[in-house]
């Protein structure tokens, strides 16, 4: 067994966490618009999940929240003066714009980037492409800071390449690892990378009711940039009916790990073709294991509302079978709970389901899997990574204390116009740069 391991880098939930109703096609975001959010509780829930994974023996990383409100964007839109004047004039001109510029959405780090481990890439380096997130205004402003955070996490360019995001144009719409699955035998061996797209921007018109956020063109470019072996790469179309039912990312209806692909019957446009392509791409490497959940066992509506597939599928040390780290909502839903009980009683590849409480994030459509970016690291890559961005018992406690010091208990969307919230947030992030070893010029407000 090689010493290559999969790390999970979670997005630390930021001080402006709120329910803005900003994401069309994301049913939770739409239904919960305007609710009072609890940023402190949200951040502590996220940290508790990270600590759980760390204690279970996995490598756990932390990605910093982004600076919000994004004053650079507001200045580009013509609002001027000192920071407080920019926020105040923008808020009185257009509160919805300010809400878009204030979202804590970078917490969902499954959308931060697409990651290809060095074992899959022609130049033997780890490749990461920050997602342009061009479909949603509030997310399209993330990629630059995401690139900076990833460069801070993986500073050794002889081992890791952090690319620029794809151009911000709808042809290249890219939502990162939420539409990407890697299957493999040992983590350090050549794997099969599966890219799932919702639309072919240069082909026929998209026929979905909600936006299809990932294009085939974006998938092709990323696979080329990363130097992937074409014979070990699969491109599959997400089913329009999944998008229309609220699966705004593929990871709402599918998750994979090691040799196992766990997915809903309605996930892919052409299920048999997709499975066949995966079988072919994995020939000589490993035998893929497919766990398909039928619509009869779990109606697509329940799969999406209970977020069964937005779980982390992980190989925990000491376990023979895979563990599914699912949201508590999966336990609350009779269909998904019954399915999980039946599944673990069987002898398939998934042997255990562990429920975690990330309810604050869930109300915006972000389950356990949305909150983490998987990065397979060889031992040398792990040693070269920024150690302060890896969770330890010590910095977990420091991060919890930091949240307790700086975060508000409650936040309504209209609080986002409050200059005091902006000052509190920037003070918090300034302090965080020390804790995570980011230097004192990481955020725009520090420069
Ligand atoms: O992009 N929600 C995010 C949820 C992202 C979930 N990620 C994955 N499935 N990997 C989104 O729709 C809602 C923000 C608001 O409405 O305030 C939001 O951006």
């Amino acid at each position: 067994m090689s010493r290559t391991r999969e790390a999970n880098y979670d997005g630390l939930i930021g001080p402006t966490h709120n329910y803005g109703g900003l994401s069309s096609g994301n049913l939770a975001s739409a239904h919960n618009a305007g609710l009072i959010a609890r940023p402190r509780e949200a951040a502590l829930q996220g940290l508790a999940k990270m600590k759980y994974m760390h204690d279970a023996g996995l490598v756990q990383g932390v990605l910093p929240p982004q600076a919000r409100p994004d004053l650079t964007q507001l200045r580009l839109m013509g609002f001027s003066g000192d920071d407080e004047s920019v926020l105040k004039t923008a808020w009185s001109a257009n509160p919805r714009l300010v809400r878009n510029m204030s979202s804590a959405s970078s917490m969902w780090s499954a959308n931060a980037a697409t990651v290809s481990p060095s074992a899959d890439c022609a130049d033997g380096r780890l490749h990461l492409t920050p997602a342009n997130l061009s479909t949603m205004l509030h997310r399209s402003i993330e990629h630059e800071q995401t690139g900076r955070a990833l460069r801070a996490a993986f500073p050794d360019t002889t081992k890791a390449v952090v690319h620029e995001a794809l151009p911000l144009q709808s042809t290249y719409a890219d939502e990162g690892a939420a539409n990407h699955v890697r299957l493999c035998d040992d983590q350090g061996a050549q794997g099969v990378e599966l890219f799932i797209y919702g639309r072919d921007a240069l082909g026929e018109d998209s026929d979905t009711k909600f936006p299809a956020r990932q294009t085939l063109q974006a998938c092709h470019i990323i696979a080329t940039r990363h130097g992937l072996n074409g014979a070990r790469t699969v491109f599959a179309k997400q089913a329009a009916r999944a998008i229309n039912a609220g699966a705004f990312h593929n990871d709402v209806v599918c998750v994979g790990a090691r040799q196992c692909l766990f997915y809903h019957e309605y996930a892919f446009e052409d299920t048999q073709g997709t499975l066949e392509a995966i079988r072919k791409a994995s020939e000589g490497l490993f035998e893929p294991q497919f766990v398909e959940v039928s619509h009869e066992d779990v109606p697509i509506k329940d799969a999406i509302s209970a977020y069964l597939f937005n779980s982390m599928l992980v190989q925990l040390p000491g376990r023979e079978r895979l563990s599914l780290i699912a949201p508590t909502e999966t336990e609350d839903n009779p269909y998904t709970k019954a399915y999980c009980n039946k599944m673990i009683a069987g002898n398939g590849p998934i042997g255990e389901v562990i429920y975690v409480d990330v309810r604050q994030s869930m109300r915006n459509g972000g389950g356990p899997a949305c909150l983490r970016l998987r990065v397979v690291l060889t031992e040398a890559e792990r040693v070269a990574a920024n150690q302060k961005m890896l969770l330890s018992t010590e910095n977990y406690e420091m991060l919890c204390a930091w949240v307790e010091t700086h975060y508000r208990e409650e936040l309504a969307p209209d609080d986002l116009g409050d200059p005091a919230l902006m000052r509190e947030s920037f003070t918090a992030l300034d302090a965080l740069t020390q804790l995570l070893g980011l230097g004192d010029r990481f955020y725009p407000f520090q420069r």
Side-chain angles (χ1 to χ4, degrees):
M1 189 85 158
S2 80
R3 299 200 24 98
T4 298
R5 294 168 67 189
E6 181 182 85
N8 288 297
Y9 278 78
D10 279 44
L12 186 51
I13 298 177
T16 60
H17 161 63
N18 76 99
Y19 300 115
L22 303 177
S23 277
S24 159
N26 170 344
L27 304 181
S29 155
H31 290 157
N32 295 315
L35 282 189
I36 306 287
R38 301 182 63 79
R40 186 184 299 177
E41 189 180 333
L44 293 175
Q45 285 175 350
L47 279 163
K49 173 173 90 80
M50 295 186 221
K51 181 67 165 39
Y52 184 89
M53 304 314 294
H54 167 267
D55 290 350
L58 299 187
V59 181
Q60 179 65 56
V62 185
L63 292 172
Q66 304 207 345
R68 294 289 181 268
D70 188 331
L71 295 176
T72 310
Q73 290 288 328
L74 291 175
R75 286 200 163 92
L76 272 177
M77 291 163 205
F79 300 103
S80 58
D82 60 19
D83 292 358
E84 197 160 321
S85 311
V86 169
L87 177 62
K88 277 187 170 162
T89 48
W91 182 260
S92 56
N94 191 341
R96 188 160 176 90
L97 176 66
V98 176
R99 282 204 286 274
N100 273 278
M101 297 301 126
S102 302
S103 174
S105 52
S106 70
M107 70 174 82
W108 299 298
S109 60
N111 306 117
T114 304
V115 184
S116 297
S118 47
D120 296 353
C121 300
D123 68 359
R125 292 187 293 172
L126 167 70
H127 282 252
L128 306 98
T129 293
N132 61 24
L133 295 168
S134 62
T135 306
M136 296 291 156
L137 173 60
H138 67 292
R139 305 217 59 184
S140 68
I141 58 176
E142 290 176 27
H143 62 90
E144 197 190 315
Q145 202 182 303
T146 298
R148 224 172 314 131
L150 293 173
R151 287 186 191 99
F154 308 109
D156 184 346
T157 55
T158 66
K159 297 194 164 52
V161 195
V162 179
H163 296 268
E164 291 301 316
L166 302 187
L168 255 103
Q169 209 282 335
S170 108
T171 305
Y172 309 112
D174 172 27
E175 301 269 326
N179 296 315
H180 177 251
V181 176
R182 178 176 188 256
L183 302 177
C184 61
D185 182 10
D186 184 88
Q187 294 284 8
Q190 163 82 57
V192 166
E193 297 200 19
L194 170 63
F195 290 81
I196 302 106
Y197 62 96
R199 88 193 140 89
D200 175 355
L202 299 179
E204 285 175 11
D205 281 348
S206 166
D207 54 356
T208 51
K209 173 171 90 175
F210 294 131
R213 297 200 206 174
Q214 182 85 30
T215 66
L216 176 60
Q217 286 64 37
C219 298
H220 280 161
I221 296 170
I222 293 168
T224 306
R225 277 180 166 190
H226 290 193
L228 301 184
N229 177 344
R232 304 296 187 192
T233 308
V234 174
F235 300 95
K237 188 157 195 257
Q238 191 183 4
R241 65 178 161 184
I243 296 175
N244 290 341
F248 55 97
H249 291 134
N250 174 67
D251 69 2
V252 174
V253 283
C254 168
V255 60
R258 303 289 306 275
Q259 298 93 339
C260 172
L261 191 73
F262 179 52
Y263 60 96
H264 193 273
E265 181 186 355
Y266 289 178
F268 306 110
E269 197 71 56
D270 171 11
T271 306
Q272 286 324 309
T274 302
L275 304 190
E276 205 32 62
I278 294 172
R279 267 192 211 101
K280 187 156 183 285
S282 44
E283 259 168 33
L285 298 179
F286 57 89
E287 189 70 42
Q289 296 171 306
F290 299 118
V291 181
E292 179 172 306
V293 180
S294 70
H295 183 64
E296 196 184 335
D297 276 350
V298 179
I300 185 87
K301 181 175 147 294
D302 293 85
I304 291 172
S305 64
Y307 256 39
L308 168 64
F309 298 95
N310 202 260
S311 300
M312 300 167 66
L313 191 55
V314 289
Q315 178 79 67
L316 294 182
R319 308 282 210 288
E320 213 163 285
R321 297 197 287 163
L322 296 170
S323 303
L324 191 74
I325 315 296
T328 43
E329 285 78 354
T330 293
E331 194 177 21
D332 297 340
N333 178 294
Y335 290 101
T336 48
K337 184 171 185 198
Y339 183 84
C340 287
N341 289 344
K342 185 173 85 175
M343 175 171 74
I344 59 179
N347 59 2
I350 304 173
E352 157 180 60
V353 180
I354 296 162
Y355 298 102
V356 293
D357 179 0
V358 288
R359 285 184 195 274
Q360 282 289 315
S361 165
M362 279 288 288
R363 287 191 192 127
N364 255 335
C370 294
L371 288 162
R372 62 90 177 96
L373 180 67
R374 295 192 276 191
V375 187
V376 171
L377 295 171
T378 63
E379 189 167 19
E381 288 161 354
R382 206 161 57 238
V383 169
N386 176 341
Q387 301 299 305
K388 286 195 169 171
M389 293 174 79
L390 292 175
L391 198 77
S392 61
T393 305
E394 195 190 17
N395 70 6
Y396 166 73
E397 277 158 18
M398 290 193 303
L399 288 167
C400 290
W402 171 81
V403 170
E404 304 273 7
T405 306
H406 295 284
Y407 280 49
R408 289 193 182 185
E409 210 148 333
E410 296 195 334
L411 199 68
D414 278 351
D415 296 336
L416 296 169
D418 178 4
L421 176 69
M422 175 175 72
R423 283 193 298 272
E424 288 159 34
S425 301
F426 290 178
T427 303
L429 297 183
D430 190 39
L432 183 69
T433 51
Q434 304 305 313
L435 297 180
L436 296 184
L438 300 170
D440 53 10
R441 292 176 59 74
F442 182 76
Y443 288 109
F445 63 78
Q446 295 176 305
R447 281 177 241 138

